[in-house]
Amino acid sequence: MTLKYYKHYEGIYRGCYNHGIFIDPRLDDEYVNVNENDSSHGGSKILRTFQQLFNPLILNCPYNKQKAIQNVTSMIKYLGNLKYINSDNYIKLKLHQYFFEVYSSEKTKIGGDIIEISETTGYSPEFWYDSEDNWNRPKRMIMTSDEIDILKSILIQSCDIDSVESQWPRTIQTSKFNIYEYFYNYLLMDWNIQIVPKRVMNKNTQTFVDYKQNPFMISDKEQRLKDEIISIKANYKLEDRIQFFK
């Protein structure tokens, strides 16, 4: 599969999307932003979903590990049974599948006022405590900027969701291995494909760990497409390369 080229993605750089956008690979020209102050394109909805999964103590109710697993399992079933899954719900489904693995890990501790997932996930943000909640407990909070950074990292590295960046022009972050096939059109148009390691659950350690592809294991197809891109770029101006889009 090759991602269709959308010229307006070029405008994400220094545009209204402070933290870039997530690409929905299933639907043409669909995406979700990650701007915490904008409800359009699902940005604030996705952030709220993530906050409740990563830091469930912000919910005003007693909590335990069994209940946490039950909640994410029910949501996975609900989202998976929808006749049509829009981009918001697609990313929510990916997040719930990720946190099912997190909550199910023997390294994860959930009970009462204790939520310990840093060993499982590898993310250790700095918490601060707000006024008491309805259960007379201090609310455990995380800086929004830290939450968004972790959210982006999880989606890109563990959920196979790519991000068009707003901090760098014509840049996409991905953990995919087949970048020359998938981002063929973007590489032709001089985009930078920034590769970060995949993070997968290690069943032995019960933690998420980096999984890097051996650079010597690039497929023949990937090598052929890479050479093809280099050749086209050497012989055609930027504006003329569109004729070679896949």
Side-chain angles (χ1 to χ4, degrees), residues 53 56 63-77 96-106 108-110 115 206:
L53 290 168
Y63 218 70
N64 59 59
K65 187 167 183 172
Q66 182 179 359
K67 181 66 174 176
I69 295 173
Q70 180 182 334
N71 286 350
V72 293
T73 301
S74 297
M75 186 56 69
I76 289 170
K77 183 177 180 180
H96 280 84
Q97 290 170 338
Y98 171 83
F99 278 97
F100 174 79
E101 290 194 280
V102 172
Y103 293 165
S104 299
S105 168
E106 63 185 26
T108 295
K109 311 299 179 187
I110 303 177
I115 303 289
Q206 293 284 293

Side-chain angles (χ1 to χ4, degrees), residues 18-242:
N18 298 339
H19 306 283
I21 62 170
F22 296 126
I23 300 172
D24 184 341
R26 309 163 305 128
L27 306 173
D28 286 347
D29 201 19
E30 288 293 324
Y31 61 87
V32 173
N33 75 46
V34 282
N35 186 349
E36 65 273 21
N37 298 317
D38 187 356
S39 60
S40 64
H41 294 286
S44 59
K45 296 177 183 178
I46 296 300
L47 182 58
R48 285 197 299 271
T49 296
F50 171 73
Q51 288 168 335
Q52 293 171 1
L53 290 168
F54 189 79
N55 184 27
L57 281 180
I58 65 173
L59 300 174
N60 293 328
C61 61
Y63 218 70
N64 59 59
K65 187 167 183 172
Q66 182 179 359
K67 181 66 174 176
I69 295 173
Q70 180 182 334
N71 286 350
V72 293
T73 301
S74 297
M75 186 56 69
I76 289 170
K77 183 177 180 180
Y78 166 74
L79 293 171
N81 287 335
L82 291 175
K83 291 183 179 179
Y84 172 75
I85 303 179
N86 61 21
S87 296
D88 297 352
N89 285 330
Y90 177 70
I91 290 182
K92 287 181 182 179
L93 177 59
K94 290 284 190 176
L95 280 174
H96 280 84
Q97 290 170 338
Y98 171 83
F99 278 97
F100 174 79
E101 290 194 280
V102 172
Y103 293 165
S104 299
S105 168
E106 63 185 26
K107 302 291 186 182
T108 295
K109 311 299 179 187
I110 303 177
D113 294 337
I114 299 174
I115 303 289
E116 180 50 67
I117 63 174
S118 60
E119 185 176 1
T120 305
T121 64
Y123 301 107
S124 302
E126 183 175 342
F127 291 96
W128 57 278
Y129 291 86
D130 201 353
S131 58
E132 292 182 343
D133 62 19
N134 293 344
W135 296 87
N136 297 318
R137 301 176 307 186
K139 294 180 182 178
R140 190 178 75 157
M141 308 295 289
I142 311 171
M143 293 295 294
T144 301
S145 58
D146 291 342
E147 288 176 323
I148 292 176
D149 287 344
I150 295 172
L151 168 60
K152 287 188 66 173
S153 177
I154 288 173
L155 287 175
I156 296 170
Q157 296 187 268
S158 299
C159 299
D160 199 31
I161 301 291
D162 305 313
S163 171
V164 180
E165 293 301 299
S166 60
Q167 303 302 312
W168 305 284
R170 305 168 78 91
T171 298
I172 294 175
Q173 276 201 43
T174 185
S175 63
K176 288 181 172 63
F177 294 136
N178 62 330
I179 64 166
Y180 297 103
E181 176 183 10
Y182 192 78
F183 297 109
Y184 184 94
N185 300 328
Y186 291 84
L187 288 166
L188 270 186
M189 300 302 288
D190 291 341
W191 277 65
N192 175 37
I193 307 303
Q194 190 175 81
I195 304 173
V196 295
K198 282 189 181 297
R199 288 183 60 80
V200 300
M201 173 61 76
N202 183 308
K203 300 301 182 183
N204 294 324
T205 65
Q206 293 284 293
T207 61
F208 276 84
V209 297
D210 286 358
Y211 178 79
K212 297 181 181 179
Q213 185 184 39
N214 187 326
F216 299 104
M217 295 296 290
I218 185 171
S219 69
D220 291 340
K221 183 177 183 180
E222 277 287 280
Q223 186 61 56
R224 175 178 60 79
L225 291 172
K226 178 181 179 181
D227 294 340
E228 191 175 290
I229 291 168
I230 292 173
S231 176
I232 293 171
K233 290 175 66 172
N235 291 283
Y236 292 86
K237 296 179 180 179
L238 184 68
E239 60 268 23
D240 296 328
R241 298 173 196 167
I242 190 173

